Amino acid sequence: MDLLARREHSQLELQRKLAKRFEVAPEAIQAAVERLTAQGLQSDQRLAEAYLRSRSNSGQGPLKIQAELREKGVDAEIVQRAFKVAALDWVQVATEVLQKRFGTATFEGPADAANEDDVENNPARHNPDRDKRRNMQARQTRF
């Protein structure tokens, strides 16, 4: 029960964690998890919706979120249902992440890409190797 009090877990996650904690038959663990599900204390659907909301708010994309939920043992149909319920605008999510990480600058298209040497105004264009070469060239010209 304390596992479910902290956050939502999938049935598979609960089975794995309980198997590590208790040395009982896998059938007993599976029966216990099924009882929790029947009582509404565990729900893969709730997990999928909460996980999707959390990960999208932190800037993760739909493919990564789907893969992570599948790793947790959540059925593909439940994952798809969670995505339908959330009805996220992934372009808007990506734009918000871009603004959060790099300021108010937005990518307007090919015209922005033409200014690739303007690292000071566009931190996304930072290139450590190019910066090293420029620093070495600057040192060589000083001596």
Side-chain angles (χ1 to χ4, degrees):
M1 285 297 285
D2 63 324
L3 290 173
L4 291 173
R6 293 185 190 124
R7 70 168 179 89
E8 294 285 345
H9 288 77
S10 69
Q11 286 186 6
L12 181 62
E13 283 180 308
L14 278 177
Q15 289 174 0
R16 288 177 181 165
K17 288 184 178 187
L18 291 172
K20 285 182 182 179
R21 283 189 182 188
F22 306 104
E23 293 181 20
V24 295
E27 296 82 20
I29 291 173
Q30 184 175 357
V33 170
E34 287 174 0
R35 276 194 309 274
L36 292 171
T37 302
Q39 294 171 354
L41 298 173
Q42 186 282 329
S43 168
D44 282 355
Q45 183 67 40
R46 268 195 327 258
L47 165 72
E49 290 172 8
Y51 195 82
L52 171 59
R53 191 171 38 256
S54 170
R55 299 298 281 167
S56 65
N57 287 340
S58 66
Q60 301 303 312
L63 295 178
K64 183 172 183 177
I65 295 169
Q66 286 175 352
E68 290 173 347
L69 284 169
R70 296 295 296 145
E71 286 176 15
K72 291 179 177 294
V74 179
D75 185 61
E77 183 179 314
I78 292 173
V79 173
Q80 290 306 317
R81 203 172 324 135
F83 273 82
K84 285 181 184 176
V85 168
L88 292 169
D89 178 1
W90 290 103
V91 172
Q92 179 64 30
V93 171
T95 301
E96 289 171 3
V97 169
L98 176 70
Q99 289 175 349
K100 182 178 178 182
R101 290 187 182 163
F102 301 111
T104 58
T106 58
F107 181 75
E108 298 295 332
D112 282 351
N115 241 350
E116 69 181 37
D117 288 334
D118 191 10
V119 176
E120 291 78 24
N121 293 329
N122 189 351
R125 304 303 302 178
H126 175 69
N127 182 333
D129 293 331
R130 182 184 60 217
D131 294 345
K132 284 180 189 177
R133 284 193 308 271
R134 287 182 181 168
N135 287 339
M136 291 196 60
Q137 290 171 349
R139 279 191 225 136
Q140 290 172 353
T141 57
R142 281 190 244 158
F143 297 108

